[in-house]
Amino acid sequence: MKPQIKRTLSNFFFEYETPRKVLVRNKRVAVVCRIIQMGVLAYIIGWVFMYERGYHAIDIAIGSIFTKMKGVSFTNISGKERIWDAADFVFPEQGDSSFVVMTNYIATVGQKQDKCPELPDGKNKNKCMSDENCDEGKYKRTGNGHMTGRCISNTSTCEIYSWCPVEDDRQIPDPPILLTAENYTLFIKNSITFRQFNVVRSNLVESVNQSYINTCLYHPKTDPLCPIFRLGDIVERSGFNFSEIARVGGAIGVLIDWDCNLDLSIRHCKPKYEFYGLYGTAKNDKEEKPSLGYNFRYAKYYVENGVEKRTLMKVFGVRIDIIVHGRAGKFDIIPTLTAIGSGVGIFGVATVVCDLLLLYFVPERDFYKNMKFKHTEIPEEVSVFIFFK
Amino acid sequence: MKPQIKRTLSNFFFEYETPRKVLVRNKRVAVVCRIIQMGVLAYIIGWVFMYERGYHAIDIAIGSIFTKMKGVSFTNISGKERIWDAADFVFPEQGDSSFVVMTNYIATVGQKQDKCPELPDGKNKNKCMSDENCDEGKYKRTGNGHMTGRCISNTSTCEIYSWCPVEDDRQIPDPPILLTAENYTLFIKNSITFRQFNVVRSNLVESVNQSYINTCLYHPKTDPLCPIFRLGDIVERSGFNFSEIARVGGAIGVLIDWDCNLDLSIRHCKPKYEFYGLYGTAKNDKEEKPSLGYNFRYAKYYVENGVEKRTLMKVFGVRIDIIVHGRAGKFDIIPTLTAIGSGVGIFGVATVVCDLLLLYFVPERDFYKNMKFKHTEIPEEVSVFIFFK
Amino acid sequence: MKPQIKRTLSNFFFEYETPRKVLVRNKRVAVVCRIIQMGVLAYIIGWVFMYERGYHAIDIAIGSIFTKMKGVSFTNISGKERIWDAADFVFPEQGDSSFVVMTNYIATVGQKQDKCPELPDGKNKNKCMSDENCDEGKYKRTGNGHMTGRCISNTSTCEIYSWCPVEDDRQIPDPPILLTAENYTLFIKNSITFRQFNVVRSNLVESVNQSYINTCLYHPKTDPLCPIFRLGDIVERSGFNFSEIARVGGAIGVLIDWDCNLDLSIRHCKPKYEFYGLYGTAKNDKEEKPSLGYNFRYAKYYVENGVEKRTLMKVFGVRIDIIVHGRAGKFDIIPTLTAIGSGVGIFGVATVVCDLLLLYFVPERDFYKNMKFKHTEIPEEVSVFIFFK
């Protein structure tokens, strides 16, 4: 038994098997075949390697964003002057990646817990004729409080227990109260980490130094790396009309796109800013729909003469969602081998196509079939037919 | 030299090489082999192409979410009536994708900076026997303030400098104070962007118009596209019990799932809503554990007679995390070729298996070996043995 | 015609084709070839299967995070004692995955809408010589309000309409006011869901029970699963210096990394915590730059004698961004087949390399060429040349 194992092992290590091939001298088939093979090769080299960089190991960034709005607005509503600064108009205040800049509002000052008539809406939903229309202790989906059971004849609406007086939001201020929000500036600080490659990068790249930040303003052509953006520019670049958005509110996405080739110097790894509209009104759409715009309510609570009161603000504003897309590639042997392997797989497709051509569509197909194939039949009797012997 | 290059080139372009094959007439091997090959083919066509749509280029959506809670709760605590609306019970207020709806609370009104005894907890952690137990200027991990060094005999706890009086959260209100939160409604507006395909889509799809939104309520069977959800339904569908969750708090995930085939009309690209529990209490679990439930504290500050005071709220509530999963596919030549290529690779596996069968497990294996292989030996001496010559 | 179809079908099903091969007895080529093939095999088995677990179907987790800070700080600023608890120093309050812990602040108490001189900054930007330098109704990018048109000789700055008095943030308190923030603790609750495998998992794994949570503190070596972190530890482990970060603010990323092999027991699916710095100051950098640090402003509003006032806080703090990376694998037949398929593809590369060697770099290459290739020429005349006939 031993010599046999030895022979098998020696055969395995010292013998090399390679497929036998037929060289077919047929111009039509050969040219078609070479063209297909070159197409596959061009695809593998051009697309997989050059364009998609198939030899790259890819890492997706973990990003962190810090934002800061700057700006001041001055309003004069029926003689009452007021100044608004960032602490007044940004929600939430702590510099999140998603925040709202107030551009318009309906303020209801001095609400307290009390009984008062419900707001008459135009569509007769809250209307009542007599006390029977007002179920005590119930509340309506569109209502502001619990009904006490009385119908107030003055307003033809039910009396409710609520924060009184009830907010009247039937008319949105037009033009928006804080239209000068257009000139506010947004400073974005973005840090990304490619853990796999141990690379940390900030959007304040080499060319963005302190003196540049103090004066620059983002412009896609002239200042594509300046991290300071004018709010009006952001809205206009996203395809919306600022005064419309400012009136009823809207949402804008800001995408910070990093596509880094770490085979090159890290200096070439730079962010690209893109803006797109998420929710907003078309320019000619003046009708108020609940599914359009962006608004929310918040309350500032205070105590006056021992009574808890609140100022309810219905805030219309521009919501900014900042999203980071970071992707870095670096040469790595594993994806290179995988790309070559699947490339060889596609080469196999070319061979299959050429063989089909050769064996079924060429006039001399029978001749080629005999060249390519050797038949073995009735091997039980070891009667072998070898064609072209 | 020149004619040789010419010949090589002409050989390359006009000659086509194809592997020589043996046709083996062996039913057992052939049938097994064809079955394997058909299995591979079925897998490639059925799974890769039909089910996984391997011919699709894939894009992952960038999503943006805007939420709005509506509802009113009425409470009557020892004769003190109070109404709660969305500005009172939603945190944060600005319509984020992750927010908390207050369902229960412990309010500590009128706290001010002062000295007062620490809260006696049941587990004797804060207990003191004499002043020696209270290190001046230190604070305990479970404590509420800095110890002044005195032990108060009344409560048997250390005196602390803190916001006084100290919050007493040993007893959670049961039933929860705002149990009617069950009837609040949540409106979700979701916009997704597939940048690669330049497609923007909202969850207010074609069939969801204004009049439908005004009246509909989400139901997985009858109204699967209505973007308005009852809070109680969300909690129950996630597998939790509303009254338990309302008492100690909990967290629910809402997943908006988009799986779009952009080869079809965009109208078929619709969201699917799913609900699942994240943190919460089992139905029979009445014991208060710190790792269960969801609560946080916040303070409303005010100035009374020149003294800064605050109302501390320990809020128990339902946290809703809304997550968007968007994925769109569209026919593209590159992934199609890649899928075919890796399919051909798997075909190669079939060939390997069949060859193993033929050469090692069939009685006539030696005959087939000789058919398949041609031996070349001692080529150094160019003494060639060709079997079956 | 019928018998022909029958024969074709029977041929297809009962005939099996396998490539004819040459067995080359050439030690050099064979050994090189076997080494390459074994390398490929080792790569496929070792890397693709063992290391990358190519036989795994992968799912990415949906994670949800709930955080809770605990701790108390005591400050004594010019005799005014004050205690700070979590409701005072965490923004936002509701336990988000991204939040800021205040460590330093500049408070401007009792601001009201009024006229007052602009703050003189060191760089003469706000300086004015006469009223002409102050354009009425305009505001400067670095300014705090609308200019009234007067130049105040006292401060040599323009008078502005603003929240007065204007915040003076030229000097950041050093050492930071809330340096004891170092001892605050952060409790992280993290739940992840692998939808594809229907697995839900919490960072409070089996070994983390109630009594352990009550006493433990995270340490990478001794307590790697304790979900309670000391703020000072987080900052130091991220590579920053706590007192520097506390003074001007900074941002830290906390990564919760789940890499689960669901073929094993679910008990082995455990989180790993990592910390890294996002924005912050180097240890020797004492210079104040606007692009360093982390700060934001917020206002506490109140009404005093009928006048709306606010306390403006410029907050410096540590921002914590908690990110979940969850990835689970489970054996699945589809990725297994795909991995094998691409492995066979790479095997093809080995064959190509060996053939190149055999046909171009071995002295007996012409002999092997003739063994491997069969020539067919001028098939139009069916004059066939078979070498080595």
Side-chain angles (χ1 to χ4, degrees), chain B residues 204-225:
Chain B
L204 309 178
V205 294
E206 287 77 11
S207 59
V208 179
N209 55 30
Q210 194 47 49
S211 64
Y212 181 64
I213 290 179
N214 282 341
T215 58
C216 76
L217 198 63
Y218 173 82
H219 186 277
K221 290 271 157 46
T222 58
D223 292 270
L225 291 172

Side-chain angles (χ1 to χ4, degrees), chain A residues 20 22 24-25 34 92 113 163 279 290-291 294-295 301 308 310 319 321 323 355 372 374 376, chain B residues 11-12 15-16 18-21 23 62 64-65 68 82-83 85 88 94 189 210 371 374:
Chain A
R20 292 177 72 182
V22 194
V24 177
R25 263 220 166 271
R34 293 297 177 206
Q113 300 275 341
W163 286 99
Y279 327 115
S291 61
Y294 190 96
N295 64 72
Y301 299 89
E308 190 183 11
R310 71 175 194 184
R319 168 154 156 188
D321 279 357
I323 297 152
D355 275 9
K372 186 175 168 68
K374 183 163 92 175
T376 81
Chain B
N11 277 352
F12 178 75
E15 242 177 37
Y16 158 71
T18 180
R20 290 177 72 181
K21 304 221 166 175
L23 280 176
I62 299 173
S64 174
I65 289 167
K68 200 168 199 173
R82 197 184 156 98
I83 202 91
D85 64 11
D88 298 325
Q94 77 267 11
K189 218 156 106 183
Q210 194 47 49
M371 294 294 286
K374 184 163 93 177

